[in-house]
Amino acid sequence: MNSCFKLEIKNHVAELSFNRPKKANALNLESWETMQDIFLALGENPEVRVIILSGEGKHFCAGIDLETLMSSHHGDSDCQAKKNLHLRAFIKKLQGSISSIEQCGKPVLAAIHNGCIGGGVDIISACDMRYCTRGAYFTIKEIELGLVADIGTLQRLPTIIHPGIMAEMAYTGRKVFGPEAKEIGLVNNYWESKDLMLENVRKIALQIASRSPLCVRGTKEMLLYKRDHSVQDSLDNMANYNAAMLVSKDLMEAFEASMLKREAKFED
Amino acid sequence: MNSCFKLEIKNHVAELSFNRPKKANALNLESWETMQDIFLALGENPEVRVIILSGEGKHFCAGIDLETLMSSHHGDSDCQAKKNLHLRAFIKKLQGSISSIEQCGKPVLAAIHNGCIGGGVDIISACDMRYCTRGAYFTIKEIELGLVADIGTLQRLPTIIHPGIMAEMAYTGRKVFGPEAKEIGLVNNYWESKDLMLENVRKIALQIASRSPLCVRGTKEMLLYKRDHSVQDSLDNMANYNAAMLVSKDLMEAFEASMLKREAKFED
Amino acid sequence: MNSCFKLEIKNHVAELSFNRPKKANALNLESWETMQDIFLALGENPEVRVIILSGEGKHFCAGIDLETLMSSHHGDSDCQAKKNLHLRAFIKKLQGSISSIEQCGKPVLAAIHNGCIGGGVDIISACDMRYCTRGAYFTIKEIELGLVADIGTLQRLPTIIHPGIMAEMAYTGRKVFGPEAKEIGLVNNYWESKDLMLENVRKIALQIASRSPLCVRGTKEMLLYKRDHSVQDSLDNMANYNAAMLVSKDLMEAFEASMLKREAKFED
Amino acid sequence: MNSCFKLEIKNHVAELSFNRPKKANALNLESWETMQDIFLALGENPEVRVIILSGEGKHFCAGIDLETLMSSHHGDSDCQAKKNLHLRAFIKKLQGSISSIEQCGKPVLAAIHNGCIGGGVDIISACDMRYCTRGAYFTIKEIELGLVADIGTLQRLPTIIHPGIMAEMAYTGRKVFGPEAKEIGLVNNYWESKDLMLENVRKIALQIASRSPLCVRGTKEMLLYKRDHSVQDSLDNMANYNAAMLVSKDLMEAFEASMLKREAKFED
Amino acid sequence: MNSCFKLEIKNHVAELSFNRPKKANALNLESWETMQDIFLALGENPEVRVIILSGEGKHFCAGIDLETLMSSHHGDSDCQAKKNLHLRAFIKKLQGSISSIEQCGKPVLAAIHNGCIGGGVDIISACDMRYCTRGAYFTIKEIELGLVADIGTLQRLPTIIHPGIMAEMAYTGRKVFGPEAKEIGLVNNYWESKDLMLENVRKIALQIASRSPLCVRGTKEMLLYKRDHSVQDSLDNMANYNAAMLVSKDLMEAFEASMLKREAKFED
Amino acid sequence: MNSCFKLEIKNHVAELSFNRPKKANALNLESWETMQDIFLALGENPEVRVIILSGEGKHFCAGIDLETLMSSHHGDSDCQAKKNLHLRAFIKKLQGSISSIEQCGKPVLAAIHNGCIGGGVDIISACDMRYCTRGAYFTIKEIELGLVADIGTLQRLPTIIHPGIMAEMAYTGRKVFGPEAKEIGLVNNYWESKDLMLENVRKIALQIASRSPLCVRGTKEMLLYKRDHSVQDSLDNMANYNAAMLVSKDLMEAFEASMLKREAKFED
């Protein structure tokens, strides 16, 4: 396990956390690569049914490590076009790292305390659900740094919060704290402390882990499909999907459990 | 009139209600077919300008009758592909029943009390507006039943509420009650009792019924078009539409009424 | 400067206001044309980094001047199709006037007091952010006038507020006041008086004006692109954009300022 | 069987022909309705695997019966908007009649001799394949009649032939004869006489009828899906489809037949 | 009239030609601007119903004047991002010049002799129909110049010719001559000499000019709409359009003329 | 180098060939995986500028090895849904192998002799250009095997050939030979023998290899983008791309070479 992250798997729940507390969990190049590898592995691990993403130390995540950013762009070409091509490849690489959260096929719950800054916002925008502490804050720091936020915030956050607030956050970089974050739909809920938050997020995670893994996976796939397609295309896709996937052992188990008033137990 | 539903038309308002109270208004196969027929008929009835959908008895709607579900999938073929083809046709049939709510061309106001469960959520997601009682609750029951919700919830609800809450509801199946439902945009408003709710929903319905039927219909068409198209395509479509439909007797009547400070009266 | 509008530019902030107070700032044909010209000019003026749009006198904006509407449709042709073609061109012209707000490339902050009626709602829907007074109200007046709102409200407002409330506003024409407007995401915030509102909106505008103009412009472009494209298309577009635009003097200035703990100063 | 059409089903092949030879097979209102009913019925008839569409008498099809056109538009309303709404409904009805050719799920082979005029071109554009005689001619007659071809030609023909020729045909209404029709991709092949054409088209039909009906149906569905979606969406849809439909008795039969070097026999 | 172009209007036909024969009709910056102005003016001139575009002197068009290209990119900024922003604006300006051919609303017939090189191919790709001489040749010269063709060829030519040939032309820059151009659908027809070609193209233009101008315009609009939308969206758009535009004086005139067996005469 | 393929790189041209002549170059599971690896590697190898794909032995490619197909679907689950999920993953894996041809960023020229069968057609549909011998034949064999062609043919071939012929090939499985293949746009050209074909294809490849690698790559990217986007989106994407990539050393080299009338030499 790479030292940039901490990972523990228990009761079908993977708890993953940023683990560079001295750097406020800023992500260097190695972290971006590792993150993609981890989500790929978690996606393929049948034991894992749901993932919690949090941060060790003082902050949730301080975004891209600026040194990384500054050092990685150049390439050594003396051709401007090739330099730009490399820069584009670099941006796409970071985008791909974040997209792995969506592609892992399992629900990802972000549990955020204190600072969620810049690249941190890009990351949580790709999670399925967001929860935080009262004191947590969210800021699209890029605008302060003379950057257009390019690895997911401007593409995914508008699908999550109202566009007026979206624009204000993106143009000003102002901090949004826990209670406002809940009001605008950025998080589902907030709690007074990190411990309390984690306790509650774990409960939600366990409940999801108790559901049919096949159905949870199918649900994630359908929600992502809908985000980018029309209602009719999504209905058709859903019908195709369930023509193949509806009749499952999980369905039988759920039916039997419901008849016998016992809890259902699903295989990995 | 089929016994699964109750229907009354008065003052241009059609009040339609689920009417299998002993089954908690669960919908059997006959109900699904009837529902589609009713909305088709209401759409073509010029006397009807707006529709209220509610439930008789203890619950609004308990969703798909499970026996229906279990009995309907098989088909008698011994070819797996043909069975799956039949299953797909069955899913599309239920989807089509719900889509008839959108296609009827008149505003549909869901008035929800107590349980709105599984298929009930699919149905209200296709209505134009949702209102409920404080005690009403909404639950994507499918996940408990080992199913991926396949007749509209995963396709339409994400266009109504924040995606984080959407995912939580879909993955956990937890109940959302009246006040939270208002907060997340699932309902426009809630009241303390079913009677109070109906009283208020009827007022809104009557107000809509007093508007130009032509314009209400056009507005519904434009809102549905926008949901699935870009802003520019929607503006172009709007311009084409009004090139043909702007100049109407309703426009003249509204203009005259406004000049004379009297209430406008529109023809069916 | 045309007398329908007042315009002042100071500290990189353009303050533009509707200026036909005797007509409750209703827009006649000349106003629509002027508005487009102004936003085009503001877009090209490097001194301007952000725009505030407000209204002089009692109301923010009463929408289309009805006389304008009534007089402009006909054309003198005796061919019905040609009349309709002219009518369509007229609608597209007004739509284009409003779209100029989006195309100017700079953030536009609507500061709304008292009535924002009919065409006024079309206009603020095309702004980046909306702020208002407690007493401000929003109404899709068109439905009362026997019209389908055709110059932006039905196309852009659904991307801003929950669809249930959207439908209710569009079908009934009821007024939504400041506090509810905030709740449903229509405005970012509201204040007790017009003065207080303007004071606060100016603060936000100044903060935006202090950011890199290049990045603010890029952010607006990306947010508009996302509104009408899939997440993946938007990520690809973003990567292409920043391959060309990331490395700028603004980036260097922001980096240096951040290192030296001084405020960044960006060129126009 | 309605007298506007002749229908014969033999060896899994349905031979359908326009049968108003005295009117050059012009379609009156009844014909349009009947055509939709027939294709619906053929789609549901398991005995039918492929359809040939031809014309009795001198011409293949002279398009819309002009009297029908002239008599059907008006409606009796004195409201211009309602008249236009009726006109639109009428156009959509004819469009729907033609779309039933695509929706029937079975390949439709148009076998064209002599005149294929106006509405006839709309119809053959919705067929899967087109064949003709050397003397057959195709003309977008609408332009001569002061009409924009509105029931499929301008929407489907551009997906069949080169856009330059498409435009020329649409703007001038000039006739395209058999050999040129083959050159531009409008027909797959042409023959010297109607008899020869029918003989060859029947051979092709019989070959299709000898294939797995399940696969032919799936192929039609996939080709129609592709026409209106991106390659990636189409690949994903294909994978969903075959996850449910690949493993079939037809597959087993084809495999066995291939092993035993005998001809495969598929169930309806 | 600008000296880069020659323009003559007669019998509703506008004959426009590139007129810098000494430069092989290469387009300098002024030409690009003028071309856009001309097509805008022709679009609004009711006397003009169809446009022929040809070239004076030895070649049809040699594309972008290289000096123009080399001189125009820089801008005087010392910020790389701003330079690139200017470059993008420059590309969009040239793209816009070409798009004016599509937006003018009247059919444009390109009549090509000898060289149609680089930017010339971008231009003819935006025309409705292309005709040429046997000796005419088409070459995507950009690849030889170290450029990706960026003002329309790579975007519009793939909608005109087979993708395999498209790719070969784009990757190699090889010349395609008249006969092959016809075979691959790039031109509708070719003739032995420029005079013969012009004689024939004029005949086609006159035939178009004799059709209802309203319908020709509507047809162009519908063909362009289809190019970028699904069949169903295009059918719906068509129905909306004709709800407003079907009933015209041109329709009546065409009907009467057809009854009386005389030629129809349409107003401008 | 895996024994299923032969690969040689010379003068910037990679010659890749199927190399299981005893199996008529049918692709087993290992071949599919290898093919993807190879195209990934060729994409990243700066020495390679263009790729020729041909077949050793009697046939170009016999498609999927049927034993592979039969053995790979099952998975060992006793849950029908999971089996279907595995089947879908298997289909997507093969699809992905073929998509690697598009994603490698370099032009791929298919050089086809004798049989191009089933999966072979899926593969060549993903190539940029196709060339063949007179005796080569193409057949969508899947329909004979009781399969819907699911790894690219039904998704990509309709973008290459006329839809009428597409449907005929897909429904009947009939063979299309060299000359007809050229006529319908399936291949760019055909020659009498394999040697002659390879000689000519190599010439074309060498010409492409002599062009700016940067521009060839950009051209492929733009052509693929256009295939799945509207013209306007494609123009915008193009402008963004060239804002970053236009100014290159290749451009300068091409310009200088053109001034000095010498051949341009581009770096890898």
Side-chain angles (χ1 to χ4, degrees), chain E residues 257-268:
Chain E
S258 140
M259 289 295 112
L260 302 176
K261 313 249 180 226
R262 64 163 170 82
E263 216 169 306
K265 282 273 180 210
F266 301 106
E267 288 174 27
D268 288 337

Side-chain angles (χ1 to χ4, degrees), chain A residues 95-262:
Chain A
Q95 289 181 345
S97 173
I98 289 178
S99 293
S100 69
I101 297 175
E102 284 177 8
Q103 289 154 2
C104 77
K106 319 247 165 107
V108 181
L109 289 67
I112 303 140
H113 75 289
N114 218 351
C116 176
I117 301 164
V121 178
D122 295 86
I123 290 171
I124 60 157
S125 298
C127 295
D128 294 76
M129 291 163 279
R130 287 149 294 280
Y131 304 90
C132 70
T133 59
R134 175 183 289 276
Y137 62 88
F138 303 83
T139 165
I140 304 179
K141 188 79 168 180
E142 284 87 341
I143 195 70
E144 266 187 63
L145 303 175
L147 288 167
V148 179
D150 60 5
I151 54 173
T153 289
L154 294 182
Q155 288 72 44
R156 290 195 183 92
L157 199 51
T159 69
I160 298 174
I161 64 173
H162 295 300
I165 290 289
M166 174 72 222
E168 193 179 300
M169 288 179 70
Y171 291 141
T172 66
R174 84 160 166 86
K175 292 179 182 172
V176 165
F177 287 90
E180 188 185 1
K182 175 160 197 278
E183 235 176 74
I184 63 175
L186 180 43
V187 300
N188 284 6
N189 219 340
Y190 66 91
W191 291 274
E192 294 303 317
S193 71
K194 189 180 173 189
D195 282 353
L196 211 51
M197 169 183 70
L198 282 175
E199 191 188 318
N200 277 282
V201 172
R202 280 180 191 125
K203 269 188 211 155
I204 297 171
L206 281 170
Q207 194 175 14
I208 297 175
S210 75
R211 303 300 183 202
S212 151
L214 200 68
C215 293
V216 168
R217 190 187 196 95
T219 298
K220 178 156 185 168
E221 185 176 330
M222 290 305 120
L223 288 174
L224 281 170
Y225 188 92
K226 171 61 203 87
R227 190 187 60 189
D228 294 324
H229 292 83
S230 73
V231 167
Q232 190 55 55
D233 268 11
S234 301
L235 286 168
D236 291 342
N237 184 54
M238 178 79 256
N240 271 346
Y241 180 91
N242 258 353
M245 314 297 178
L246 185 75
V247 181
S248 69
K249 283 183 72 179
D250 287 6
L251 177 66
M252 297 308 137
E253 165 63 10
F255 187 68
E256 197 187 295
S258 140
M259 290 294 114
L260 302 177
K261 313 250 179 226
R262 66 163 170 80

Side-chain angles (χ1 to χ4, degrees), chain E residues 214-229:
Chain E
L214 201 67
C215 293
V216 168
R217 190 186 195 97
T219 298
K220 179 158 185 168
E221 187 177 328
M222 291 304 120
L223 288 175
L224 281 170
Y225 189 92
K226 171 61 205 87
R227 189 186 62 188
D228 294 324
H229 291 84

Side-chain angles (χ1 to χ4, degrees), chain C residues 205-220:
Chain C
L206 281 170
Q207 196 177 11
I208 297 175
S210 76
R211 303 300 184 202
S212 152
L214 200 69
C215 292
V216 168
R217 190 187 195 97
T219 298
K220 178 157 186 167

